[in-house]
Amino acid sequence: MPLIEFSDKGLYCRAGGFYIDPWKPVDKAIITHAHSDHARWGSKYYLCHAQCKPLLQMRLGENNYQAVEWEEKIFVNGVQVSLHPAGHMIGSSQIRIEVNGEVWVVSGDYKIEDDGLSGKFEPVKCNTFITESTFGLPIYNWKPQIEIFQNIRDWVCRNKELGKTSVFIAYSLGKAQRLLQCLPEIGLPIYVHGAIWNAHQAIVSSGFQLPDVKRITYETPKGSYLENIVIAPPGTEGSAWMKRFYPYAVGICSGWMQVRGTVRRKNADAGFALSDHADWKGLLQTVTETTAEKVYVTHGYQAVFSRYLNEIGIAAAEVKTEFGNEEEENSAAVAEAQETIDNNQ
Amino acid sequence: MRQFAELVQTLGTSTKTNEKLDALSEYFSTANDKDKVWVIAIFSGRRPKRAVNSTQLWTWCNELAQLPGWLFEECYHAVGDLAETIALLLPEAIPSDASYPLHYYLETLISIEKQDEAIRKAFILRSWQTMTQPERFVFNKLITGNFRIGVSQNSMVNALAKTVKLDPSVIAHRISGNWDPMATSFADLLSENTLTKDYSKPYPFYLAYAIEDDVNSLGEPVEWQAEWKWDGIRGQMIKRNGELFVWSRGEDLMTDKFPEYHALRNHLPNGVVLDGEILVAQNSSSSQRGDEVFPLPFALLQTRIGRKNVTKKQLTEAPVSFCAYDLLEYEGNDMRETFLIERRVLLEKIVKSINHPALLLSPLIPFSTWEELANLRSQSRNMGSEGIMLKRKDSIYQVGRKRGDWWKWKIDPLVIDAVMIYAQKGHGRRSSLYTDYTFAVKDGDKLVGFTKAYSGLTDKEFAQVDQFVKRNSLEKFGPVRTVKPELVFEIAFEGIAASNRHKSGVALRFPRINRWRKDKTVNEINTIDDLKKMLELYGK
């Protein structure tokens, strides 16, 4: 009997009677991180990392949450469970499960580089590893964060010289906070969209130190944005809401920006391949370091990555999950909300 | 090379024409002269011959990156551009401060073109190893082909004009025709004197916009000349110094492709340049008058393009004529500043005096009111034409696409409702989105694919269809997905011809998506019989 089964509700541990990141309501859910494709509403009990809890509260409201620290061992129906840093976003964790000496690890989403915010990723030795593969193609190799940050700051300064506002498109939960590690150094005021403001407040109230930002409202005088910095979530590009920033340049921060075609399709003035997922080398390095005998590959380029692992002598199989749709869902929701706001004006 | 890579980066991502112009002007005022000549050459379609082919490039890349072939292919499908895929996959370069200039790479590529593969390979690998990733991208792009990076020849000409303070139309003319970037200096290229040396040099074409308003807004019909709009290849026929040259609008010298024209070398007087259409026309000996034109479908002309050696069979089945409609040079004088009506008189005189089946005169359409012309226009298809050209009688021959004096008044396209059955990811800015579709009509209970189409939807619609494809894929054949036949689209096209290369038996001209028929189900689409009827009506 495998420790984790792939059911229609999600990754299921029969021995422990719990699911990991289920996409349908269940009795017991263990959550890797607070993004909408991994943490969904309706379950009766949620176990997550302490830093993840306030974010779940923000997204899913009050529920029966249990928060744990990394490497804290707990037992669920006799199954030993512990959480380990995944480096993807604040409070993101890998889930380690052990029964009778057999160890399985579910990666959730992860990245190798320490972004200074999400906790440093640690590979966890196991027998079976369930890994994401969002960027599981060798064309995806990230530059160090320090280098990308410098490019970002240079771009903001160039925009300022040209008399333009720098508008960044970044995920409200994760990427936006990561950008705040880079931007304050320039010394310009930073304005954020309401969705990012909400995430910001939730994170600050849980005890994190984040730089000051200003919320964009209808009262904000239009001239205040000029030559300054704006952060907005995906879905706002090209919307009527953007008009207030004119003249502006749009910079999108996402791993997908590695490919020129994506930058052009999104009509971005600049694309920064700043990702919260492991790149090709990161995925390979992690799989090797877990010393897993068997690897299941989920959301992303699962067919490609599992085939490649098999060819280099690591037994792997692809698994279909409902993870990995967050970007689309999120942007659709924002765009929709935006339309409602615009129509009401 | 680094400066050129930066230029390409700006041109590729900038969404504003002015920014592109500024980037080009900046380049033209700071780059070295030899590089400038090459940039003019590249952006006007004068790329050097391929020193290595795509297969060699990706094989060498794989050797360095140590990747299996199938994985390279997966990457290529995700990126949608071979040059970029290779640039992304190559192992990190040894950083070098020195960057060789653009012309060094291009001229070396030319010099090793005929050398052993080992020598060419060594040069490519050596170059890759000293380049940054953006440099590798443009280098690969220069080798692999069409340098389409978001800038038109027009923008390049305008930027150059701004930098050297000459009129864009003068620049356009000076950089046209046959010149070798390796042997031409920047000063020579832009100097007046070079014109006298190059007898083959064409004039820049004058192009018309489609008319948007009511024709009545054009004023008095008597001020306008109407001609049929032909569906061939726009061309320029030049006779100078005893030699004949035929250029296409894409600035390809096509003289040798069409032996029909060779006889004209002896008939046309020296110092004559004609503007017209390269067409497959019915042998005019079957019609009594020399000025009648009955062009055959474009598909027949296609059998002649891209072939070096023409067979006798092709010459009889698809004889090519030049259908002249303007005169740009006469007795060695540039006639572009004289009125159209005067140019026309001379043109008729020349064509009639030669009286040769390979040179036809595009007839004028007599009309006295716009209503009368609108009626004639509705019969365009029966004339083998795609509409009407309207030219002001006192218009001069301008450079490039200009509004005001010349208009094209095309007939509405043919349309048919079809269902999408296959989808494939696009290229360039559409890579990783399913944007290339195959459409089918009904054949009894079955569906039969009859065309592909790549354009006509908005970005938002493409995103919706992409989502549909991802959720409703039935099978996977390499990059192609078969899709549940559910989405119905109206396909527009300009012409139809019989084809034995297509299962449906027809080939369409310029197919594109006209609109998404969300109101229709797959049961309501057109049938193969509807297509055959169209073929009967318009394809013969």
Side-chain angles (χ1 to χ4, degrees), chain B residues 384-403:
Chain B
S385 117
E386 49 177 12
I388 284 176
M389 287 300 303
L390 284 167
K391 298 173 181 173
R392 205 181 275 281
K393 285 179 183 166
D394 63 0
S395 62
I396 59 161
Y397 192 92
Q398 304 188 60
V399 168
R401 206 176 289 281
K402 298 278 157 57
R403 286 174 200 281

Side-chain angles (χ1 to χ4, degrees), chain B residues 305-323:
Chain B
I305 306 169
R307 257 172 231 261
K308 267 194 192 138
N309 303 313
V310 190
T311 61
K312 260 209 176 115
K313 187 160 169 269
Q314 283 173 324
L315 283 176
T316 12
E317 281 178 0
V320 167
S321 300
F322 191 85
C323 181

Side-chain angles (χ1 to χ4, degrees), chain B residues 104-115:
Chain B
Y104 161 78
Y105 290 107
L106 286 162
E107 290 175 9
T108 312
L109 280 173
I110 292 169
S111 70
I112 60 171
E113 190 200 315
K114 299 244 156 57
Q115 308 250 24

Side-chain angles (χ1 to χ4, degrees), chain B residues 139-289:
Chain B
F139 177 65
N140 295 344
K141 207 77 187 142
L142 289 170
I143 298 172
T144 54
N146 330 358
F147 211 86
R148 280 189 297 182
I149 47 94
V151 67
S152 63
Q153 176 166 347
N154 219 357
S155 318
M156 185 270 290
V157 166
N158 286 334
L160 187 57
K162 202 174 138 193
T163 320
V164 300
K165 304 199 171 55
L166 278 172
D167 195 74
S169 62
V170 174
I171 299 276
H173 189 198
R174 297 212 176 137
I175 66 162
S176 66
N178 245 346
W179 51 276
D180 176 4
M182 210 148 131
T184 312
S185 77
F186 186 64
D188 276 352
L189 179 61
L190 295 182
S191 122
E192 252 176 296
N193 305 329
T194 47
L195 288 189
T196 49
K197 284 183 234 153
D198 178 9
Y199 291 111
S200 76
K201 196 180 256 313
Y203 292 98
F205 286 88
Y206 179 18
L207 307 171
Y209 274 100
I211 188 159
E212 289 141 9
D213 300 331
D214 186 0
V215 275
N216 285 299
S217 66
L218 293 179
E220 290 302 315
V222 68
E223 291 171 11
W224 293 84
Q225 167 181 313
E227 302 159 36
W228 298 111
K229 184 181 184 317
W230 305 116
D231 182 22
I233 300 171
R234 181 82 178 270
Q236 215 173 100
M237 185 175 275
I238 296 171
K239 168 77 188 291
R240 287 185 192 125
N241 199 37
E243 287 182 273
L244 185 85
F245 307 94
V246 179
W247 291 90
S248 74
R249 184 159 92 70
E251 288 204 20
D252 284 320
L253 201 48
M254 303 188 102
T255 325
D256 295 338
K257 285 205 172 118
F258 305 119
E260 291 94 332
Y261 294 156
H262 294 177
L264 296 174
R265 189 164 64 102
N266 301 327
H267 292 87
L268 274 171
N270 269 318
V272 161
V273 177
L274 305 173
D275 181 15
E277 201 86 1
I278 299 167
L279 283 177
V280 174
Q282 254 164 20
N283 199 333
S284 63
S285 62
S286 61
S287 72
Q288 291 308 302
R289 287 161 44 204

